[in-house]
Amino acid sequence: MTFDQIERSSGGVGGSLEEIHESLKGKRYRAQPVRRVWRKKPDGRMRPLGIPTIRERVAQMATLLIVEPIFEADFEDCSYGYRPGRSAQQALKEIRGHMEAGYQAVYDADLKGYFDTIPHPQLMACLRVRIADRSVLRLIQMWLQAPVVERAEKRGGEPKVSRSEKGTPQGGVASPLLANLYLHWFDRAFQRGPAVWKDAKLVRYADDFLVMARQWDEDLQSWIEKSLEGKFQLTINREKTKVVDLREEKAKVNFLGYTFQYAQDLYGRTKRYLNMVPSEKAMKKEREGLHKLTNSRQCHKPVAELIGEINRQLQGWKNYFSIGYPQAAYWEIDWYVRERLIKHLQRRSQRGFEFPKDRTIFQWFEEQGLIALSGCEAKRHPLNV
């Protein structure tokens, strides 16, 4: 059912909520199947998403409002993903602080299909540590074991239905908390283990994390990998997991869209500084988004409307990539946007668009309301040459 159908039904939204309430209260509630869709990842691989029904999302959110504060009281400070009042930028600043303090030997971890491989028995054991109510535990277990329906590849074919004893579907309202909860026990073990005997630092954002130490050794790496693949029964992606020593020439670490790399001081001083810039992958993704906004299918849009859409895209990107040293990246994106807009204007006009002679291209775009990430003055922009 869609939101529209619920609103137009005999009981409306209120009746739908009352039905969910009564079925939960009377313990007649049964989890509905989850629809599986596939989304392409930046590296070309496909990621499965599990989309619950609206009814499921309402019930999961109601449960989340009750249980999230209970687990929030336990979570370690090194965890930043999917937590109220915490953000990726806070995690990035924490990493920068550790690196500048000398923790420059970095274990850059990648877990293979984390959300889809969390073992249900162990996850339920984590829940039982803080939840005694069997009704709530049974409800969560139903969501974990709900049938997954995948549409048939051929029209008219039978949809594929499956169940799994592992994983929590990405797309579910409760999934981020459950995924966080499972790795919380790794966080806790780390804080009582390597954080003490190796003075190592851990920063985790959902299933992405970095371990930083002053000097790396095999014992620390062995502890991490044995814990994750042994006790937690997860799989480390060996192709993407690596140890990086940032003291080495050209060594760098990518995390949450940023690249961390030590660089020579621009003023000739011997001391190196920690450069923190948008990663190549983040730059490519932003260019792709801007290209999509200005491709040939957008020729019908008025310039003012198109610039408004581009501005929202640029402002969102700048809000995230505002820490570190993003100025060079801002210049590059500004240049790309104006190139795309020039091409768009030329494409719209059969005779070719002519800019006013009495001002620069940059000034004309500025008059149309286009923002500049770099905040530069019109006369300094490369397009004015």
Side-chain angles (χ1 to χ4, degrees):
M1 291 184 73
T2 64
F3 287 107
D4 239 14
Q5 290 170 327
I6 291 172
E7 289 172 354
R8 293 199 309 267
S9 65
S10 58
V13 174
S16 178
L17 292 174
E18 184 63 27
E19 185 275 324
I20 296 171
H21 173 82
E22 289 300 325
S23 65
L24 286 167
K25 190 176 177 180
K27 300 184 180 180
R28 298 185 306 276
Y29 186 94
R30 295 294 180 271
Q32 295 179 325
V34 173
R35 181 164 62 93
R36 173 167 288 169
V37 296
W38 295 86
R39 293 288 180 267
K40 185 175 284 189
K41 298 174 71 173
D43 58 7
R45 294 181 299 160
M46 301 300 287
R47 168 185 290 160
L49 296 180
I51 310 299
T53 63
I54 294 171
R55 175 175 176 268
E56 294 295 344
R57 278 178 267 173
V58 170
Q60 287 188 26
M61 179 55 75
T63 306
L64 189 70
L65 290 171
I66 300 299
V67 303
E68 186 177 58
I70 297 170
F71 293 112
E72 267 296 313
D74 293 342
F75 286 167
E76 301 287 339
D77 288 340
C78 61
S79 169
Y80 289 89
Y82 307 128
R83 294 184 60 187
R86 293 193 154 224
S87 67
Q89 283 197 329
Q90 289 175 334
L92 290 160
K93 289 174 183 177
E94 184 75 4
I95 290 167
R96 181 174 62 180
H98 290 320
M99 289 178 176
E100 289 177 338
Y103 296 86
Q104 295 169 15
V106 183
Y107 182 85
D108 184 1
D110 185 86
L111 296 176
K112 189 179 290 185
Y114 172 64
F115 278 80
D116 302 318
T117 57
I118 302 172
H120 290 173
Q122 284 87 335
L123 179 55
M124 292 305 300
C126 294
L127 287 162
R128 284 193 292 271
V129 171
R130 294 289 265 137
I131 299 176
D133 191 322
R134 292 183 182 180
S135 298
V136 176
L137 291 170
R138 177 173 166 273
L139 190 61
I140 295 172
Q141 187 150 25
M142 275 197 294
W143 290 328
L144 291 173
Q145 297 176 345
V148 177
V149 178
E150 193 169 349
R151 289 179 179 172
E153 292 183 10
K154 295 181 180 178
R155 185 169 293 181
E158 287 292 322
K160 181 182 176 183
V161 181
S162 61
R163 290 180 184 267
S164 176
E165 294 182 0
K166 289 184 175 183
T168 175
Q170 291 190 67
V173 176
S175 292
L177 174 65
L178 296 176
N180 246 350
L181 172 61
Y182 193 60
L183 278 180
H184 156 69
W185 293 97
F186 172 77
D187 298 344
R188 175 164 288 192
F190 186 93
Q191 299 303 338
R192 287 155 176 73
V196 176
W197 52 260
K198 186 59 183 174
D199 186 28
K201 306 296 182 183
L202 169 68
V203 175
R204 181 173 67 82
Y205 191 91
D207 57 328
D208 293 324
F209 67 88
L210 297 181
V211 175
M212 292 155 282
R214 296 186 185 277
Q215 296 292 334
W216 199 257
D217 63 37
E218 294 298 324
D219 289 342
L220 180 53
Q221 185 169 341
S222 176
W223 185 94
I224 295 168
E225 294 175 355
K226 284 181 179 178
S227 295
L228 291 172
E229 295 187 321
K231 181 179 179 181
F232 291 91
Q233 297 182 23
L234 302 172
T235 304
I236 296 173
N237 188 337
R238 305 287 175 175
E239 293 178 0
K240 292 187 175 181
T241 299
K242 56 186 180 294
V243 176
V244 178
D245 191 337
L246 290 174
R247 287 173 285 250
E248 295 177 359
E249 194 70 25
K250 297 183 179 179
K252 60 184 178 181
V253 171
N254 294 316
F255 193 71
L256 298 181
Y258 276 85
T259 295
F260 295 87
Q261 184 177 25
Y262 273 87
Q264 197 63 43
D265 187 275
L266 295 176
Y267 299 100
R269 292 173 291 192
T270 55
K271 184 180 179 181
R272 298 194 308 160
Y273 72 97
L274 180 62
N275 202 5
M276 182 181 174
V277 297
S279 67
E280 291 178 9
K281 186 185 289 187
M283 294 290 289
K284 181 183 177 183
K285 186 177 179 180
E286 178 65 2
R287 285 193 295 268
E288 287 172 353
L290 292 166
H291 187 280
K292 189 175 180 180
L293 284 176
T294 55
N295 63 23
S296 57
R297 295 182 181 180
Q298 312 304 322
C299 284
H300 65 283
K301 285 186 182 175
V303 174
E305 181 183 341
L306 181 61
I307 286 178
E309 292 178 1
I310 291 171
N311 281 348
R312 287 190 288 275
Q313 172 86 8
L314 292 173
Q315 193 59 57
W317 196 79
K318 184 175 184 177
N319 288 344
Y320 183 76
F321 291 101
S322 59
I323 54 179
Y325 303 93
Q327 198 64 22
Y330 287 172
W331 274 98
E332 187 177 330
I333 294 297
D334 282 343
W335 172 256
Y336 183 79
V337 168
R338 282 147 185 79
E339 279 188 329
R340 291 297 305 168
L341 277 174
I342 290 170
K343 189 171 184 179
H344 171 81
L345 292 169
Q346 298 289 355
R347 194 191 295 123
R348 281 170 57 99
S349 174
Q350 292 181 348
R351 297 181 180 179
F353 184 84
E354 290 188 9
F355 286 93
K357 304 291 186 185
D358 59 340
R359 51 197 179 278
T360 65
I361 294 172
F362 189 92
Q363 287 171 329
W364 187 85
F365 280 131
E366 196 172 36
E367 288 171 5
Q368 308 310 307
L370 182 66
I371 64 172
L373 294 180
S374 57
C376 61
E377 297 174 5
K379 64 182 181 181
R380 296 177 57 197
H381 199 275
L383 279 169
N384 297 325
V385 178

